[in-house]
Amino acid sequence: MKVLIIGGVAGGAGTAARLRRNDENAQIIMIEKGPYISFANCGLPYFIGGEITDEDELQLQTPESFHDRFNVDVRILSEAIKIKPDQKTVAIKNRCTDETYIETYDVLVLSPGARPVSPPIEGADLDHVMTLRTIPDTLQIQHFIETRKPQKAVVIGSGYIGVEMAENLCKAGLDVDMIEAQNHVIAPLDAEMASFLHAGIRQQGIGLHLNSQVTAIRPDQVVLNDGRQIQADLVLMSIGVKPETDFLKSSGIELGQRGELIVDDQMKTNQPDVYGLGDAAATKNIVTGTTRVIPLASPANRQARITADVICGKSVRYQGAQGTAIARVFGQTAATTGESESTLLRQGIPFRKSYTFSNSNAGYYPGSETMAIKLLFDNIGRMLGASIVGGKGVDKRIDVLAAALRSGLTVWDLQDLELAYAPPYSSAKDPVNMAGYAAGNILDKMMHPFYAEDISGFGPNDVLLDVRTLAEHRDGSIPGSVNIPVDDLRHRLSELDDQKHYRIYCAVGLRGYIAQRILVQNHIKASNLSGGYTLWESMDRDSCFSP
Ligand code: FAD
């Protein structure tokens, strides 16, 4: 069996290594158009910021070490330019000599990844405008910083790579502005969750320009759609990626609208013996059942293993992706799994939601940090998505939630998870358990929630009731609210009007829940603000309520 693999990084090298473990006799050729294989794309921003100092650390394997370990014929600086599936041939251009030759295959694996999108903006081709995908891109940015000594960087786009690059350019000593066309950073988060990040980003002195588009790039500035001009000695373009599949266009291999490879759950394309995976391939989303590209390293690696196993005759199937992702954002951590509220709305999928705020570990133990958790679930409690923003411990909670979502657990199952606890690490009721309790209370109708965005629609019959302490209320409150601290509520029920609907809030929703239970059991209509004043204030500060 002669297997030809196009692309030598996560998907390609992963497939090659697993193939060799499966089959010592296969002939495996791996074609890579760049000078490196199997490099750490995900580590590139941290090399620019100086946390990773040794360039060699970015290469997990060299062509030589990969050959020695796996007996794979690795050809770098070799670009596949044309594929003829009917003849089972690939035309390959040697980028050193510019010569083209034809290679045959029995099985072809396509893992060409995705390239940064470059919008048709005036000045996008200037030499201080860069993108980040490969080691040469990284070295180019580093060289530019060392030789041209830029003071001001502008990062266009604030997805995971954009925010990581903003942070690392900052660490490299540059003043950074971020330009984002949407109203929040990190698109897979919802705006209210991202609002916690915005405050942190601005506190670092970063100019964060939301709802803004770059219309032109000049040698020393970028121009925004509202006419503002921002100084920019270095511009990093990071507005998303697009499957690197132009070379497949006339091959007969089926591509989607954005050029993504259409594959089945065994990574097979429409052409016999041709497989596709990684950032270039669309796969099933386990929550919505739709297919889309999820350009992340974990799916690419899992798909690589499955591709190799299927080629070798195993009957394994790719179950799909859920987009679990995490990023450090100027000292905070943002993480998501499954769908966001905005994607569920867009797809018309009904959902319920809850917000909880929990400490990373026992509050009495020094050093605990808060995290905000948003759970999205359906009417029978099945998880649809989760996002977390906070400090310590976000990573392990998102992984528990990702595993729960993948396993089809419900919010009641989250209540029942027995998670490791000792004061330095967690609380006896872990943040995941607490999120499950809050969501379960909503479905059980123990807690009648309302949400910050509902407030503007309240009528004369709705009374906003702040059940925090008087001091907290004086420190800041939702306009129009009255204050009765929860501990006084039972004695002051006579002050309430049983014809009204009390819209209760506290700091994060816990005291509000207790207050709501008191009122409901006294036959007074009441509901509780999920996420409390903390979430409302962050959304208000961030203009989330503006049309
Ligand atoms: P790639 O890794 O892009 O590899 C494709 C290779 O194919 C490329 O080297 C390309 O040169 C080669 N190629 C393309 N066309 C041809 C051709 N015609 N002929 C020959 N070779 C070709 N994911 C995470 O999950 N977490 C992270 O923290 C994270 N951080 C990232 C940070 C950065 C800066 C970048 C760029 C990506 C990051 N990712 C992260 C995404 C992750 O790296 C990708 O999902 C993963 O590498 C995809 O693997 P792939 O094999 O599909 O594509």
Side-chain angles (χ1 to χ4, degrees):
M1 178 169 61
K2 179 176 178 184
V3 184
L4 185 60
I5 299 174
I6 296 175
V9 192
T15 304
R18 175 74 175 173
L19 263 176
R20 178 56 75 221
R21 286 194 291 272
N22 281 340
D23 183 349
E24 190 56 24
N25 297 316
Q27 182 188 356
I28 306 171
I29 303 170
M30 190 165 80
I31 302 295
E32 167 54 55
K33 75 174 176 181
Y36 301 94
I37 61 156
S38 198
F39 59 89
N41 331 43
C42 312
L44 302 179
Y46 304 95
F47 182 75
I48 289 167
E51 278 177 87
I52 299 171
T53 49
D54 184 355
E55 189 188 317
D56 291 343
E57 295 286 346
L58 297 173
Q59 281 190 74
L60 308 177
Q61 292 276 0
T62 63
E64 296 73 31
S65 68
F66 200 77
H67 173 267
D68 292 349
R69 175 74 49 92
F70 297 110
N71 186 22
V72 169
D73 175 357
V74 179
R75 302 181 194 169
I76 55 168
L77 297 168
S78 299
E79 180 174 0
I81 52 173
K82 199 166 185 62
I83 290 174
K84 293 190 174 165
D86 51 337
Q87 297 172 17
K88 292 198 156 188
T89 59
V90 178
I92 298 168
K93 183 168 143 189
N94 180 324
R95 297 181 85 188
C96 294
T97 62
D98 264 358
E99 284 166 17
T100 298
Y101 62 98
I102 303 296
E103 190 60 78
T104 59
Y105 65 81
D106 297 321
V107 176
L108 178 66
V109 176
L110 302 169
S111 188
R115 63 166 185 272
V117 173
S118 195
I121 299 175
E122 176 199 331
D125 55 350
L126 290 169
D127 72 349
H128 70 305
V129 183
M130 294 175 225
T131 56
L132 180 67
R133 178 184 179 194
T134 60
I135 292 181
D137 296 340
T138 313
L139 299 179
Q140 187 194 357
I141 295 169
Q142 193 198 42
H143 181 73
F144 188 93
I145 292 172
E146 279 172 10
T147 55
R148 304 270 285 267
K149 311 240 178 288
Q151 304 291 308
K152 294 273 298 174
V154 164
V155 176
I156 305 177
S158 67
Y160 287 111
I161 294 176
V163 291
E164 286 178 354
M165 277 306 291
E167 181 180 308
N168 280 291
L169 287 168
C170 224
K171 280 183 190 275
L174 283 84
D175 281 343
V176 179
D177 282 86
M178 295 173 74
I179 320 288
E180 170 55 54
Q182 306 299 316
N183 64 350
H184 65 91
V185 301
I186 307 189
L189 285 176
D190 287 313
E192 79 284 16
M193 295 298 282
S195 70
F196 295 112
L197 296 174
H198 297 165
I201 291 171
R202 291 191 168 112
Q203 270 166 21
Q204 300 291 325
I206 306 298
L208 179 60
H209 309 274
L210 301 172
N211 300 306
S212 300
Q213 284 177 26
V214 173
T215 53
I217 303 174
R218 309 254 161 80
D220 57 355
Q221 59 181 209
V222 298
V223 182
L224 304 188
N225 53 334
D226 59 7
R228 275 180 297 155
Q229 298 170 350
I230 296 174
Q231 193 194 328
D233 310 321
L234 185 163
V235 176
L236 187 97
M237 194 78 86
S238 150
I239 58 168
V241 295
K242 183 181 179 307
E244 179 91 290
T245 52
D246 288 354
F247 71 107
L248 299 174
K249 271 185 182 151
S250 58
S251 66
I253 295 169
E254 189 184 2
L255 301 176
Q257 277 188 342
R258 293 196 71 237
E260 68 277 19
L261 286 159
I262 306 299
V263 295
D264 67 11
D265 61 1
Q266 292 197 306
M267 315 317 297
K268 292 176 179 165
T269 68
N270 64 327
Q271 296 293 330
D273 300 315
V274 181
Y275 295 75
L277 70 153
D279 286 4
T283 54
K284 193 180 86 177
N285 176 310
I286 63 157
V287 178
T288 62
T290 54
T291 54
R292 67 170 160 139
V293 176
I294 298 192
L296 291 168
S298 167
N301 279 282
R302 290 184 289 124
Q303 291 163 13
R305 187 179 173 93
I306 285 170
T307 304
D309 285 356
V310 171
I311 291 169
C312 293
K314 298 187 184 173
S315 61
V316 288
R317 289 180 191 280
Y318 185 62
Q319 301 301 318
Q322 62 199 78
T324 307
I326 190 163
R328 191 182 70 194
V329 187
F330 293 96
Q332 294 190 83
T333 303
T336 59
T337 188
E339 297 304 292
S340 64
E341 179 173 346
S342 47
T343 55
L344 291 172
L345 281 169
R346 255 201 314 275
Q347 300 193 46
I349 298 173
F351 65 90
R352 312 291 298 271
K353 64 176 175 176
S354 71
Y355 300 92
T356 44
F357 290 78
S358 299
N359 287 330
S360 55
N361 53 282
Y364 59 81
Y365 184 87
S368 79
E369 294 176 14
T370 306
M371 68 184 81
I373 302 183
K374 178 178 185 179
L375 273 195
L376 294 154
F377 45 96
D378 66 14
N379 273 333
I380 56 165
R382 193 179 65 105
M383 284 181 61
L384 301 173
S387 52
I388 314 182
V389 174
K392 260 183 5 187
V394 169
D395 51 348
K396 76 168 176 169
R397 274 57 185 230
I398 202 69
D399 281 344
V400 172
L401 292 171
L405 193 150
R406 167 66 51 149
S407 317
L409 299 191
T410 65
V411 297
W412 287 284
D413 295 318
L414 298 184
Q415 301 176 358
D416 204 31
L417 290 180
E418 186 175 308
L419 301 169
Y421 162 60
Y425 301 105
S426 185
S427 298
K429 287 180 190 167
D430 188 87
V432 170
N433 299 132
M434 294 303 290
Y437 288 131
N441 284 341
I442 291 173
L443 291 176
D444 283 341
K445 300 195 171 24
M446 284 285 284
M447 209 270 263
H448 311 302
F450 70 95
Y451 300 96
E453 61 271 23
D454 299 336
I455 294 174
S456 61
F458 287 167
N461 234 22
D462 297 291
V463 180
L464 273 166
L465 175 61
D466 181 356
V467 295
R468 298 173 302 159
T469 63
L470 185 57
E472 286 173 285
H473 182 71
R474 282 189 179 143
D475 241 17
S477 61
I478 302 177
S481 56
V482 294
N483 176 233
I484 303 179
V486 63
D487 294 340
D488 300 345
L489 197 55
R490 286 191 185 85
H491 316 295
R492 293 177 60 181
L493 288 176
S494 58
E495 293 174 33
L496 303 184
D497 177 348
D498 61 8
Q499 299 304 305
K500 303 277 189 198
H501 183 151
Y502 286 90
R503 305 292 193 165
I504 299 170
Y505 72 92
C506 65
V508 296
L510 188 56
R511 282 174 287 173
Y513 170 53
I514 296 165
Q516 182 228 276
R517 293 303 306 156
I518 295 171
L519 294 202
V520 168
Q521 291 180 75
N522 281 281
H523 313 291
I524 297 169
K525 216 168 159 198
S527 49
N528 179 35
L529 176 60
S530 186
Y533 182 73
T534 305
L535 183 60
W536 178 89
E537 188 196 25
S538 187
M539 291 172 73
D540 186 52
R541 190 177 48 229
D542 220 37
S543 306
C544 287
F545 304 122
S546 309

